[in-house]
Amino acid sequence: MNMTPPLIGSSASIERVRELIEHTADTGLNVLITGESGVGKEVVAQNLYYKSQRKNKPFIKVNCAALPENLLESELFGYEKGAYTGAVSSKPGKFEQADTGTVFLDEIGDVAPGTQVKLLRILQEREFERLGSNKSRHTDVRVLAATNADLRAALENGEFREDRYYRLNVVPIKMQPLRERAVDIPMLAEHFVKKYAK
């Protein structure tokens, strides 16, 4: 069964996104998907995943904006027993769980500088350490990231690391807001009427 969510529209910008997905899906390259909230960045990520050779491997989504820095680190990289109060057993992180698959980092622009450094190591070398451990672990993952933030402005302000930006932004895909592709509105309306009429 085809699980790929539809990327609906006939506008030039949507056609361009489709082309980028087709040309990029199987490359294994990191992709940075940008655009305002609600434009369908996760749909783009899912299309990249389902059209790739990793489609039968894990697809793990992490909302980077939903967790404070200390929790985000343990969520991404895992932790060892005793790493902090309450860590009564060891737990693998999302990168470990996604081995051979894909990690989708949503709202990557909200990641704190300390975690950015550790993410850079994943992006460059596919290596990480669990919290409370000195043992390096390797993971074979593809990284897809999305943000509604202006990362170029964040670069200039020193809020986002330049090296990490270029590691993430190997293939940039920008989703235009619907107000800039009004031709897609009838198709979207028809899609949602059929979907929810059931």
Side-chain angles (χ1 to χ4, degrees), residues 11 19 30 41 57 62 83 104 108 114 127 131 136 152 157 167-169 171 173 181 190:
S11 62
E19 285 176 19
N30 297 334
K41 296 187 293 294
K57 304 296 183 181
V62 182
F104 174 47
I108 191 74
E127 287 186 352
L131 294 183
S136 289
R152 286 200 172 274
N157 297 335
R167 288 287 178 180
L168 280 173
N169 197 32
V171 179
I173 296 181
R181 49 185 180 94
E190 183 180 5

Side-chain angles (χ1 to χ4, degrees), residues 43-143:
V43 171
V44 173
Q46 290 172 328
N47 271 264
L48 284 163
Y49 166 70
Y50 282 116
K51 292 176 187 291
S52 76
Q53 293 179 3
R54 297 177 185 254
K55 64 185 175 185
N56 296 316
K57 304 296 183 181
F59 177 78
I60 294 184
K61 177 188 171 184
V62 182
N63 185 339
C64 299
L67 297 167
E69 182 177 9
N70 59 334
L71 287 180
L72 181 60
E73 277 198 35
S74 64
E75 190 76 4
L76 291 175
F77 308 113
Y79 55 83
E80 296 293 353
K81 180 179 178 180
Y84 55 84
T85 306
V88 294
S89 61
S90 298
K91 181 186 174 187
K94 299 300 187 188
F95 282 109
E96 212 168 330
Q97 294 169 33
D99 190 30
T100 71
T102 303
V103 172
F104 174 47
L105 301 174
D106 199 9
E107 300 308 342
I108 191 74
D110 292 344
V111 173
T115 307
Q116 287 186 38
V117 175
K118 295 185 178 182
L119 271 177
L120 184 63
R121 189 175 171 208
I122 282 272
L123 294 169
Q124 287 179 326
E125 303 162 24
R126 297 297 188 257
E127 287 186 352
F128 66 97
E129 292 170 4
R130 288 182 180 178
L131 294 183
S133 171
N134 293 322
K135 178 185 175 184
S136 289
R137 297 171 184 266
H138 183 83
T139 183
D140 170 21
V141 294
R142 182 188 199 177
V143 179

